[in-house]
Each structure stands twice: as structure tokens, then as C-alpha cells.
């Protein structure tokens, strides 16, 4: 069974601070996705990383895929209250690309 | 272009009852996946429908069943409800099973 562990589980910071959240596994994934979910809504895809060592930037968000494709990180620069939400990582099953395994997420609160 | 829609938004049932949740995929999508998201956890894959057939299934009992209609919309049925079935049920659609998934807002099911 492929598992994804996310840390920290909760993170509360002040506006303007930087932060990094992690997504780790003992299994190799062909790709990993990062989602943001707000209360009462479904997850919204932020990015997909595919190549080991890949770095993708989305405005103030930087996503990195580990060289061995077993882990990923999300770094937010100068966090804003609008970044508040649940950040989830997910990866396709090794045996069925259509079945996604999700981590339990990091709940981020950015205080003004 | 409507995204993924789900109904109802909220539902309250009692133990032992049966429930049907509905999902309309994003226009142009032909694959629907269902997920259960318990409070404080990431989404757990229930099953996936493509061409009106269940193609993949997660670790959920037979009490969970589904259907996909010719217009690609889908239903999730849960029989003999248990307290532990209380969760947010998410529907995600994609074009084929391995492409980017778009999530609906979910149905919040409470079992009393």
C-alpha cells in the first residue's frame, strides 16, 4: 500500500512569514499532485510534478519533487491570509493511475 | 462551462438508512471517481466509473455501490448506514482515468 505522510499537520503563522510543508512516502510515485481545499469545497489542483528533482513555481508557491520521486515539498513565500486552507498531496496508484492516494493534509492558517 | 456539481449539499440520515448522492461531471469529461473524506483526513478513494462500469475500487465494503449513466453523471449509494459513514463525499471527474481530476464541492453526510 502506498502511503503519503504530510507534515506538519497544523501550521499557524503571521502574514508575511515563509513556510514549508512536506509530503513523504517510502514508495516511488510517477507523479505527485498538490491541492488546496477550503472549508465546504472540494480540493483544487495547484500543480503536478512529474520529474525527479523538478521545481515548479506558482507565484509565491514553490513546489519541489524529490530526486527519488518519494517526497515533495511546498514552500510559500510571504504568506497571505488568502493562503489559508488545507494543503493536500496526492499520487496515482502504482497499479492504477486512475486511483489517487491522498495524504491527510496540512492545515495552514495565516493570521493578518 | 459548469464544473463538477454534486447534490445534495448536506444530508442527515439515521443508522440503517440508505442514501443516494449524485454527481454531474465537468463538460467533456467521461470518468467519475468518488472519494470519502472524514473530518481531519484526506480523501479516500471509493471507486471509479468509466463507460458506465466500475473500473477500480478502493477498500470500501459492498454497502457502497454506484452507477454511471449514459450522460456520464453518476450516483453513489450507501446502504445500512453506520455512524462512521459520516463524512464529506467528493466526486471528481476527468477525461479518461489518468488525466487531471476536477473535484466537486462535495456532499456532507451526517449519520445520527
Amino acid at each position: 500500500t502506498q502511503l503519503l505522510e504530510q507534515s506538519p499537520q497544523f501550521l499557524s503563522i503571521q502574514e508575511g512569514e515563509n513556510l514549508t510543508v512536506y509530503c513523504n512516502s517510502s514508495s516511488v510515485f510517477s507523479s505527485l499532485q498538490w491541492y488546496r481545499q477550503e472549508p465546504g469545497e472540494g480540493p483544487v489542483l495547484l500543480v503536478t510534478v512529474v520529474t525527479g528533482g523538478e521545481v515548479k513555481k506558482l507565484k509565491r508557491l514553490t513546489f519541489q519533487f524529490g530526486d527519488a520521486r518519494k517526497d515533495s515539498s511546498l514552500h510559500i513565500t510571504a504568506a497571505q491570509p488568502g493562503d489559508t486552507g488545507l494543503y493536500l498531496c496526492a499520487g496515482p496508484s502504482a497499479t492504477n493511475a486512475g486511483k489517487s492516494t491522498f495524504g491527510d493534509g496540512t492545515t495552514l492558517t495565516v493570521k493578518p | 462551462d459548469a464544473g463538477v456539481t454534486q447534490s445534495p449539499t448536506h444530508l442527515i440520515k439515521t443508522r440503517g438508512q440508505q442514501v443516494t448522492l449524485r454527481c454531474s461531471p465537468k463538460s467533456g469529461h467521461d470518468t467519475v471517481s468518488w472519494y470519502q473524506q472524514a473530518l481531519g483526513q484526506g480523501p479516500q478513494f471509493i471507486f471509479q466509473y468509466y463507460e458506465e462500469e466500475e473500473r477500480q475500487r478502493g477498500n470500501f465494503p459492498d454497502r457502497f455501490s454506484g452507477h454511471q449513466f449514459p450522460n456520464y453523471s453518476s450516483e453513489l449509494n450507501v446502504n445500512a448506514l453506520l455512524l462512521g459513514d459520516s463524512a464529506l463525499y467528493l466526486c471528481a471527474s476527468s477525461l479518461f482515468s489518468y488525466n487531471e481530476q476536477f473535484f466537486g464541492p462535495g456532499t456532507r453526510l451526517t449519520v445520527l
Side-chain angles (χ1 to χ4, degrees):
Chain A
T1 302
Q2 296 175 293
L3 296 176
L4 287 168
E5 295 185 358
Q6 293 190 243
S7 61
Q9 185 177 0
F10 298 97
L11 188 57
S12 180
I13 61 172
Q14 293 295 133
E15 182 176 2
E17 293 184 357
N18 301 331
L19 67 113
T20 302
V21 298
Y22 301 92
C23 173
N24 295 301
S25 176
S26 58
S27 304
V28 175
F29 282 86
S30 59
S31 66
L32 282 179
Q33 292 81 45
W34 283 93
Y35 293 82
R36 187 165 77 98
Q37 183 177 21
E38 297 190 32
E41 299 183 9
V44 175
L45 181 66
L46 297 174
V47 76
T48 299
V49 286
V50 179
T51 306
E54 180 178 8
V55 176
K56 282 191 173 180
K57 292 191 175 183
L58 184 66
K59 298 183 180 179
R60 295 177 292 101
L61 279 60
T62 301
F63 304 84
Q64 185 164 7
F65 201 12
D67 291 340
R69 291 185 287 130
K70 292 182 177 182
D71 56 86
S72 182
S73 64
L74 159 60
H75 181 80
I76 301 179
T77 303
Q80 299 177 0
D83 295 327
T84 293
L86 175 66
Y87 289 83
L88 295 159
C89 66
S93 163
T95 55
N96 168 27
K99 174 183 174 181
S100 290
T101 297
F102 280 80
D104 284 338
T106 293
T107 299
L108 172 65
T109 302
V110 182
K111 300 175 183 177
Chain B
D1 178 24
V4 180
T5 59
Q6 292 186 243
S7 63
T9 306
H10 296 85
L11 203 52
I12 299 175
K13 292 284 188 179
T14 57
R15 281 178 295 175
Q17 285 189 312
Q18 177 265 342
V19 68
T20 297
L21 310 181
R22 296 176 176 81
C23 171
S24 292
K26 182 178 170 63
S27 177
H29 286 183
D30 58 6
T31 302
V32 173
S33 299
W34 286 92
Y35 292 82
Q36 179 195 67
Q37 186 175 22
L39 197 61
Q41 297 182 13
Q44 299 293 314
F45 178 82
I46 303 175
F47 43 52
Q48 181 184 80
Y49 277 84
Y50 172 67
E51 292 187 333
E52 301 179 49
E53 291 187 11
E54 182 182 298
R55 297 292 179 168
Q56 302 296 335
R57 189 177 184 91
N59 295 324
F60 280 80
D62 292 344
R63 299 187 296 110
F64 290 77
S65 63
H67 188 77
Q68 186 178 36
F69 299 94
N71 67 353
Y72 308 117
S73 67
S74 176
E75 288 182 349
L76 163 65
N77 300 293
V78 187
N79 295 322
L81 284 168
L82 304 174
L83 295 178
D85 294 332
S86 295
L88 180 67
Y89 288 85
L90 295 164
C91 168
S93 74
S94 61
L95 180 59
F96 305 125
S97 66
Y98 49 81
N99 287 331
E100 177 184 348
Q101 295 184 98
F102 290 79
F103 283 84
T107 294
R108 172 71 63 186
L109 173 64
T110 302
V111 182
L112 302 177

